[in-house]
Amino acid sequence: MRTWKWMFTAALLVSVSAAAQQPAESQTSGPAANGPMPTDSQPLSVGTVPPLPADSAQAPAASASQPAASQTATAPAPTPSAMPQPTTMDQVVDRFIEREHGLMKALSNRTPVVETYLQNLSADPQLGPVPSEDHYFLGRMDMGVSVDRKDYLKEQDKGGMGGMETRLLGGFHKLYKVQYQPTGFSWMVYADRADFDRSHYEFHYIRREFLGDVRCLVFDVTPKKGSGRGRFLGRVWVEDQDYNIVRLNGTYVPSPRNSYFFHMDSWRLNLIPGYWVPAYIYSEEGDFSAGVKNKLAFKAQTRIWGYDLKKGDKDDELTQIRVDSVKDETATTQDASPLQAERQWQQQAEDNVIERLTRAGLLAPEGDVDHILQTVVNNLEVTNNIDLPRPVRTRVLLTAPLETFSVGNTIVISRGLIDVLPDEASLAAVLSHELAHIVLGHNLGSKYAFNDRMLFSDDSTYANLGFKHIPEEETAADKKAVDLLNNSPYAQKLDNVGLFLKALQTRAPQLNALLTTHLGNPLAENGTVNRLTALATKGPALDNNKLDQVAALPLGGRVKINPWDDKAEMVKTAPVAITSARDKMPFEVTPFYPRLARYGASTTPSATPATAAANSTPGTN
Ligand SMILES: [Zn+2]
């Protein structure tokens, strides 16, 4: 299992340019080579068509295409593709309205995890808009009729919440101060949950456009006069095979008194056959041009995952039977010695916690990212002659706040932290702190070997689990971590770690929510970095003008989560040259631009997007 040499994973972490070429090559054919498309010049305004009665929008053909709402945690059945292809843009509109209602129905029994991370902005003369404070929301969203949510965070962490009002607003509420409504950020999973039809909206075909590998038809959507409050105003992108909406961009009108709807850009991914499920929503408000009074400005990323999670009702958990019984393959025929028993007990606690966190949608299943993490841990172990009775495992926490912790021999590191680390040495530094806890025997969580302690609802996970060490153990782990690093292949690169810690310190006072941990010890408290402080003086001074000095990265650049099965993988992006200090954006949120691809296309290159033969596109005459 363990190889007795160390290796850099730099090829994966630092330079991913080679891998980034692959998806680009798969798009060998441009729009012109992909079969007939509607021409932009044809009269395709569909707003003139008489509105259909609401019921006829869901004609028998529509209901026949619906999958049986599955109660189990499996993908909905694929849609039969036997439906005739639309021949006019009017028919395309009918089709995507019907597909939208089909999606709502298919997802109506789902309760995915929804996370929103928001940074308020203020203007910096050199760096442009920079975070001035931040907010974090995490919960489960009920995709049923009301699109409601349950929060994982305690009441004081999430700001004011209203029941009905929250649902209606889908924005933020301005009374005495601005209060962000977490539901608002996930509002645009659908354009209009209740009334997405021709009697409430007009649809105007704009043009065709590729989003990634997927050819789309673009429509502007405007609410009809007098169609009511909080209606979608914006644009939708519709893929041209099954006519599902794959992207929505816009806002809601008219604004209620004393509140706003904010603007959103909402992306869907084709993760199951026939359906595109909401995955990313970017929101942004604010204007930093001269003369504008800066009242409010923010950027926010909302991510949705865990579609395939069980609902997590208490009954469900109590009746769940574990079928994957593992045969005890220990060589010995004797009873466990006291030390062996202690280790088995810790293993049991570790397994319980990892399984429970995975089931709550907070931990990615074991996967590709773990191979990279384990390689780094292995490098530290081998060069320090560490030989533990059980191998160290790693797992990815799916959330954004910068966080590591360990339970038993498993090191957990958050997606957000992997994202912002500039290089492998910095990754090694944060992992070395947890490895030090394990080497020093700072075992936490053995109480979780009692299975009754795993019986809680998913949204109370943070109240029931915790892995914070006492300050003395933190100090000891930091000291040991520096020893481990000094003996490791990363010893020559600790300047980079120092730079990262300096960048973190620069932003820490403004990023309290990003630095608030929910399971482990924080990297910084009250605006001061307290992790690995011995390394914080290493390296050169932080200098924004040095464009080759990248001390920390924006969020979202490294780890990609599959919203259906929660698998984590490294993002493949080509390196982009930094041309000014404003390009660095350490710890910041940015818009989403996922490369869209059809289901199965990324794993089987032969299954390319629509070919001319297989694809009849509407309105070409
Ligand atoms: Zn620690």
Side-chain angles (χ1 to χ4, degrees), residues 433-434 437 469 474 477 521 531:
H433 173 93
E434 297 303 336
H437 279 308
H469 290 274
E474 283 300 283
N521 291 87
R531 180 72 53 93

Side-chain angles (χ1 to χ4, degrees), residues 237-540:
W237 283 254
V238 179
E239 49 88 15
D240 72 347
Q241 244 173 44
D242 299 317
Y243 303 96
N244 293 291
I245 295 176
V246 301
R247 182 186 180 192
L248 309 101
N249 176 302
T251 187
Y252 295 93
V253 290
S255 289
R257 229 154 54 90
N258 290 326
S259 59
Y260 306 89
F261 292 110
F262 35 68
H263 291 81
M264 283 179 256
D265 188 27
S266 177
W267 293 79
R268 297 175 178 177
L269 301 177
N270 193 189
L271 301 173
I272 48 172
Y275 292 95
W276 290 72
V277 299
Y280 306 110
I281 303 171
Y282 175 71
S283 322
E284 183 187 295
E285 295 294 332
D287 186 347
F288 287 100
S289 51
V292 173
K293 281 213 174 125
N294 169 28
K295 275 182 261 171
L296 181 111
F298 74 85
K299 292 190 287 189
Q301 287 186 341
T302 296
R303 292 157 200 269
I304 303 165
W305 69 82
Y307 279 100
D308 208 17
L309 292 172
K310 291 225 163 57
K311 279 210 169 185
D313 304 328
K314 208 119 205 214
D315 291 346
D316 187 36
E317 284 162 24
L318 289 168
T319 54
Q320 200 183 30
I321 298 160
R322 295 213 47 186
V323 288
D324 51 341
S325 52
V326 180
K327 191 171 172 252
D328 189 352
E329 286 176 348
T330 337
T332 176
T333 54
Q334 285 137 27
D335 291 334
S337 72
L339 180 59
Q340 284 169 330
E342 176 67 21
R343 283 180 182 159
Q344 275 185 28
W345 185 251
Q346 284 161 1
Q347 172 89 60
Q348 190 176 320
E350 177 182 337
D351 291 347
N352 279 352
V353 168
I354 296 304
E355 194 216 337
R356 188 67 191 85
L357 284 172
T358 308
R359 204 146 44 86
L362 293 172
L363 218 55
E366 206 169 349
D368 292 349
V369 179
D370 296 316
H371 298 319
I372 293 168
L373 301 176
Q374 266 155 6
T375 303
V376 175
V377 170
N378 190 61
N379 289 343
L380 292 165
E381 286 186 282
V382 167
T383 48
N384 282 281
N385 297 314
I386 295 168
D387 200 3
L388 295 163
R390 290 191 288 124
V392 173
R393 303 183 293 182
T394 59
R395 292 294 280 273
V396 177
L397 194 68
L398 294 165
T399 48
L402 313 185
E403 175 162 18
T404 63
F405 65 91
S406 46
V407 51
N409 272 31
T410 298
I411 296 175
V412 177
I413 177 169
S414 68
R415 164 181 58 80
L417 183 52
I418 301 174
D419 275 347
V420 299
L421 291 169
D423 65 349
E424 189 176 335
S426 307
L427 176 62
V430 295
L431 293 174
S432 70
H433 173 93
E434 297 303 336
L435 181 62
H437 279 308
I438 293 171
V439 170
L440 295 172
H442 295 170
N443 254 302
L444 279 182
S446 66
K447 67 176 182 179
Y448 302 119
F450 290 107
N451 289 283
D452 60 287
R453 292 205 161 103
M454 296 297 115
L455 298 175
F456 49 80
S457 65
D458 287 350
D459 48 293
S460 63
T461 301
Y462 288 160
N464 283 276
L465 297 180
F467 309 96
K468 285 195 167 88
H469 290 274
I470 56 172
E472 290 80 2
E473 289 183 348
E474 283 300 283
T475 308
D478 268 351
K479 189 169 176 296
K480 181 75 182 172
V482 174
D483 292 345
L484 297 178
L485 289 167
N486 280 330
N487 290 330
S488 80
Y490 307 106
Q492 308 309 313
K493 304 195 169 178
L494 297 183
D495 282 3
N496 296 357
V497 182
L499 266 176
F500 172 74
L501 292 169
K502 284 172 201 167
L504 186 62
Q505 182 54 65
T506 308
R507 288 284 168 95
Q510 289 82 43
L511 301 179
N512 191 44
L514 191 64
L515 287 162
T516 298
T517 55
H518 301 282
L519 294 166
N521 291 87
L523 300 176
E525 252 173 322
N526 302 319
T528 305
V529 176
N530 56 15
R531 180 72 53 93
L532 298 167
T533 46
L535 300 177
T537 50
K538 293 237 174 209

